[in-house]
Amino acid sequence: MRRRAALVTLISTVLALGIPGAVSSAQPATSDLYVSPSGNDHANGTARHPVRTLERARDLVRERVTGMKGDLTVHLASGTYRQTAPLTLDARDSGTGGHQVIWQGTGNTVVSGGRQVQGWRPVAGRAGLWSAPAPQGLTDTRQLYVDGMRAQRARGAVPVTLTQTATGYTASSDTLAHWKHPSDAEFVYTSGESLWNVERNGLGQWTEPRCRIAAAEGTTITMVQPCWDNSNKRVEFPDIPGRTVSMVGPGHLTNGGRATYVENAYELLDQPGEWYLDRTAHRVYYLPRKGENLARADVEAAQAEKLIDGRGTAAAPVHDLAFRGLQFSYATWLTPSGPEGFSEIQAGYTITGDKGWATQGLCQYVEGGTCPFASWTKMPGNVSFSYGQRIEFSDDVFAHLGASGLDLGTGSKDSTVNGSIFTDISGNGLEIGGVDGQTPASGVQVTDNHLYGLPREYHGGVAILDGWTQSTTIAHNQIDHVGYSAVSLGWGGWPDKIGDPATPNPSHDNTVRDNLIFDYMQMLDDGGGIYTQGLTGTSLADGEKVTGNVIHDQWGLGKNVYTDNGCTYETVEGNVLYNASYANVASRHTDYRDTLGNNDPTLVKDNWWEEGTADGDNKGLVTTGNKIMAPSDVPSEIIGNAGLEPAHRGLLNRSVGAVSTPEAPSRVGTSTAGVDALYVTFNPSFVDGGSPVTGYTARAYDASGRQVGEQAVGAAEFKRTAVVRIGGLPASAGPLTVTVTASNAHGTSAPSLASLPLTPTAVTALPGAPTGPKLRTASTAATVAWTPPTATGDAKVVGYRVTVSDGRAPIDVTGRDVLVGQPSAKGMFWVIGGLRPGTSYTVTIATVTAAGTGPAATVTATTKA
C-alpha cells in the first residue's frame, strides 16, 4: 500500500510540475484545447500542458465534441506546425449543437508543409553556387523558399532548335542528351497575344501548359505521356477545320510546338535566385541573391501536397469549423512534374488521363465522351474541403503555396472566407465549387480579402475561381497585380461557338459586388477583371449580378467585365470601368437555346465607363443609362465603397515574407525603330517583392553577348506607353536580343528571358489613317472610337495622336492596347473630357510609328445639351 501511495504522489508531482512526457487522463476544467510546437502529445492539452501536433489536437476534439455547450477553441501558439501529410478532418471533427470548433492562431501561427534545407556549402568549380543535402524524405518538390521569398526553378532558353514529331521533337544537336538529368527538364509554353516578335505559344492566349521530357537520346527528344498527346491530339470536328470538339483553344501546341523556355535543369543555373533539386544525388543547388547568407537563412522546400483536407460526404458533411489567425504555407503539387504534366484548358483546369484528349469532358460530341461537357480536371487546393458546411476562414494567410490556395469544393455550403490574404500562390488563389456535375457549392461568402501577386507558376490561374455555384457572394475584396483574370465564374458556354446552347448547369443567384480590381491580366490575354461564361441562372432575376465594382488598369487584351460564350442572364450595373485593353463590357453572343436569333439576355446598366456604347436593346442585350467618364468624374463615394471595408484595410499594410527584389518581367518583344534603334515592350512585373516597382531597364545584346545599348524607364511611364526605345545602337550590329530588369527600393531583379533576335532596319513609309472613326457624346465628355489602319507602312503602331477642335494640346494615346490593337484589328477608344454641352466638335485621329505621324481620320459630332 505504501508503494501505491508513493506512486500516486509521484504522478501528482509530475503533473503539477508539467514535466514533458507526463501522461494525464484527467479531464481539464475547460473544454478548450492548447497546442504548441514545443508541446507534448502525451500531455492533456491544457494551457499548462499543451499537445504538440494538430493530429493529436484533432483526436482530443473528437473526444469532447459530443454534448458541446459552447464553442470549443483549439488554441494554436505561435510557431510552425510542420505537416508531412494533411490534417484530415471529417464529420467527427465538427461542431455540434450549433456551436463551432475553432482552430485559433495568433497571426504568427504557420501550418507548414515545408522541410528545412540545411548544411549549405559552396560548390567547387562553380562560383557563387551552393548546395546542401535534401532533407530526409524529400524525394521531389517544385518550390523552394529562402527567408519567405520564392526562388525560381532554374530556367533558360531552349539551347537547340526543335522540330516537332509525334512523340516529341528532333533537336538540332544532342546538347540536351548530355545534360545530367534531361528527364527532369520541363518545357513551358507561354501564350498570350502575338505582337511584334513575341510568340504565341501554348494552347490559347490564356494558357501556359507544361510537359516534362521523358528522355533525350542523341537528337531525339521524347516527351512524357499522356501530357504530350493531351496537348497535341485534341479532337477536332471533321467538318469544321481547326475547331476542336472542346471548342477551347487549338487542337495542338501552336507555333510548331515551340517551347518558350525550359525549366528545372542543373545546366540552367545561371542567375541569382535560381535553384535545382538533383533527385538522384539527393542534393539541392541554389545561387543566392545579393545579401542572402545561407548560413543564417531559413530555406524551406515544400514537401506536403495538402495541409488540411476536409473530407465530408453528402451523408456526413464536415461542419461548423472555423480557422482563424493561421498562415498556410510551403505546400507543393507534384502532378505537373509527372506523366500528366499540365495540359491546360483554362483557369488551371487541365486534360488528364490516358487518352484524356479523346474523351474527357466532351460529353455529347464524341463517342465515349465524359459528361458534363467541359468537366476537365481542376487544380487541387493545398487547403481543401468537400461537403463542408458552415466552414469559416477568417484573418488567415494563404501564401507560399504550390497549387491553389484554398478549395471549397463539391457540396460546400454556407461557408465564409473573410479578412484573409492570398498571395505567392502557384495557381488559383481561391476555388469555389466545381464543374463536374457533382453537388454545387452554395451560400459561400467571400468578403474583405486581399488577393495579389499571383499566380506564380501556372500563369493561366485566377485570383478567385467560381464554378457552378448558387447564392455565392464575392464582395468588398481587393484584387491587384495578378497575371490573368481576377474573378472567373461559370463554365460550359463554349457550345455556342457551333450554334449549340450552353451546357445546362445549376448556377443561380451569384453576386460579384463592390470589389476593387486593378493591375490584372499582367501576363496573359483574353480574360477580364470579372470573366463569366455559361448560363448564370434562369432569368435576369436570379442570374448573376456584377454591381458596384471598380475595375481598372488592365494590361492584357481583354475586358473589364467579360461576358464570354453562352453568358446568359447577367446584370452588369453601377460599376466603374476604365483603362481596359479591349472593351469595358463585352461581348455579345447569340442565344442558341431557340431559333429566334436573339442574343444572350444581358443587362448593362448605369455604369461609369469609357467605351460610350449608345443605349439600346440589341435583341436582348440591353444597354441603358451608362455614363461616359474620365476617372476623375466619378463621385468619390462610389470609388470609396469598392474594395476592403474600413475594418479590414489594415490587410493592405500587412507584409507576407521578407521584402525582396521584384520578379523579372516577361514576354519581351522588339520592333525596329530605325537603323540604330529598337522599340521594346514587355509584360510588367506583377510580383513586386513587397515594395512597389519603380522602374525598368532594357538592355540590348549582339550575337556575341556583348551589351550594345541600354535604356531605363520609370514604372509609371512604362505603364502609360508600354514602350521603351533603345537608341544609339551600332550600325550593322546584326540581330540583337533584349532583356529587361525591374527595380524597387530593395534592388534589381534578375534579367528576363531574352527576346527573339531582331536586326534594326530603316523605316520611312508612314502609316495609313485609322478607319471607322466615331464620336459618342455625352454633355461634357465624349468617347472617340476608331479601328487601326489597314496599312502601317514599314513599322509597328506605337501610338495615336488625337486633336480636338477646341484648341487644346494634342492628346497622345499610347499603351498596351495600342500595341495589341494592330494585329487583332481591335477597336480603340479614348475619352475626351472638359467639353461644353450642346457644342459641335471635330476630332482627328492619326497613327504614330517610328516613321512619324500618318494622315488623320476625322469625325464631327455635337455634345448633348
Side-chain angles (χ1 to χ4, degrees), residues 787-825:
T787 301
T790 55
T792 62
D794 47 16
K796 304 295 185 182
V797 176
V798 294
Y800 295 92
R801 175 151 287 197
V802 175
T803 304
V804 185
S805 59
D806 60 4
R808 69 181 69 192
I811 302 165
D812 290 324
V813 178
T814 59
R816 185 67 164 197
D817 54 337
V818 170
L819 307 188
V820 298
Q822 180 59 43
S824 61

Side-chain angles (χ1 to χ4, degrees), residues 313-330:
T313 67
V318 56
H319 58 87
D320 296 294
L321 292 175
F323 301 87
R324 302 173 182 171
L326 304 177
Q327 177 171 325
F328 301 98
S329 292
Y330 306 128

Side-chain angles (χ1 to χ4, degrees), residues 555-568:
W555 184 260
L557 186 62
K559 295 93 177 176
N560 293 136
V561 178
Y562 192 165
T563 56
D564 203 3
N565 293 105
C567 182
T568 306

Side-chain angles (χ1 to χ4, degrees), residues 819-834:
L819 307 188
V820 298
Q822 180 59 43
S824 61
K826 67 172 283 295
M828 307 290 301
F829 56 87
W830 190 264
V831 171
I832 302 169

Side-chain angles (χ1 to χ4, degrees), residues 193-452:
E193 290 290 338
S194 57
L195 70 156
W196 294 7
N197 64 350
V198 181
E199 293 181 333
R200 178 191 295 174
N201 301 322
L203 291 161
Q205 296 95 304
W206 54 91
T207 68
E208 191 181 57
R210 295 165 170 262
C211 283
R212 186 171 55 77
I213 294 174
E217 299 172 345
T219 59
T220 299
I221 309 298
T222 304
M223 303 299 289
V224 294
Q225 295 287 12
C227 185
W228 186 249
D229 281 354
N230 285 341
S231 303
N232 285 287
K233 288 188 175 181
R234 297 180 180 180
V235 184
E236 297 184 354
F237 288 107
D239 54 344
I240 311 177
R243 172 65 71 194
T244 60
V245 172
S246 73
M247 296 169 254
V248 187
H252 51 81
L253 291 166
T254 56
N255 200 22
R258 180 180 170 90
T260 309
Y261 60 95
V262 60
E263 187 174 276
N264 198 40
Y266 178 86
E267 290 75 10
L268 299 172
L269 285 165
D270 62 356
Q271 295 294 334
E274 289 188 331
W275 70 279
Y276 169 70
L277 170 63
D278 187 329
R279 294 181 298 159
T280 302
H282 207 62
R283 294 199 70 82
V284 182
Y285 293 88
Y286 179 64
L287 270 171
R289 302 176 179 99
K290 182 179 179 180
E292 289 179 334
N293 184 337
L294 294 183
R296 298 195 303 265
D298 174 28
V299 182
E300 301 278 349
Q303 180 185 32
E305 295 193 69
K306 280 196 177 182
L307 300 175
I308 294 180
D309 191 6
R311 300 178 181 176
T313 67
V318 56
H319 58 87
D320 296 294
L321 292 175
F323 301 87
R324 302 173 182 171
L326 304 177
Q327 177 171 325
F328 301 98
S329 292
Y330 306 128
T332 190
W333 178 39
L334 296 178
T335 296
S337 296
E340 294 285 5
F342 190 75
S343 181
E344 188 168 26
I345 285 283
Q346 185 171 325
Y349 276 86
T350 58
I351 295 180
T352 58
D354 185 37
K355 294 188 177 179
W357 57 271
T359 60
Q360 190 173 19
L362 300 184
C363 204
Q364 69 266 33
Y365 294 106
V366 299
E367 184 177 354
T370 59
C371 294
F373 174 74
S375 58
W376 296 295
T377 302
K378 186 172 69 171
M379 181 184 297
N382 290 133
V383 177
S384 68
F385 277 83
S386 58
Y387 291 101
Q389 298 183 4
R390 297 178 298 282
I391 307 298
E392 172 197 332
F393 287 90
S394 60
D395 191 29
D396 296 316
V397 174
F398 297 83
H400 318 321
L401 296 172
S404 294
L406 171 63
D407 178 23
L408 299 178
T410 296
S412 294
K413 184 177 181 180
D414 299 333
S415 296
T416 61
V417 183
N418 174 260
S420 295
I421 291 174
F422 293 76
T423 190
D424 189 22
I425 297 169
S426 288
N428 299 319
L430 167 65
E431 298 177 336
I432 309 168
V435 297
D436 54 4
Q438 302 299 311
T439 305
S442 63
V444 175
Q445 309 288 305
V446 181
T447 57
D448 286 298
N449 303 286
H450 187 201
L451 303 97
Y452 68 98

Side-chain angles (χ1 to χ4, degrees), residues 639-723:
I639 299 290
N641 185 59
L644 300 174
E645 296 176 283
H648 294 279
R649 289 176 185 166
L651 291 178
L652 302 179
N653 301 318
R654 186 172 175 180
S655 61
V656 177
V659 177
S660 67
T661 58
E663 190 172 79
S666 63
R667 303 193 75 233
V668 180
T670 55
S671 172
T672 188
V675 293
D676 66 344
L678 286 176
Y679 283 133
V680 182
T681 190
F682 50 89
N683 286 50
S685 303
F686 63 90
V687 178
D688 61 15
S691 177
V693 174
T694 54
Y696 300 95
T697 301
R699 296 177 175 87
Y701 301 87
D702 64 17
S704 70
R706 179 175 63 97
Q707 183 177 323
V708 295
E710 177 178 314
Q711 182 62 54
V713 64
E717 177 67 7
F718 178 73
K719 187 174 184 178
R720 184 181 70 83
T721 65
V723 172

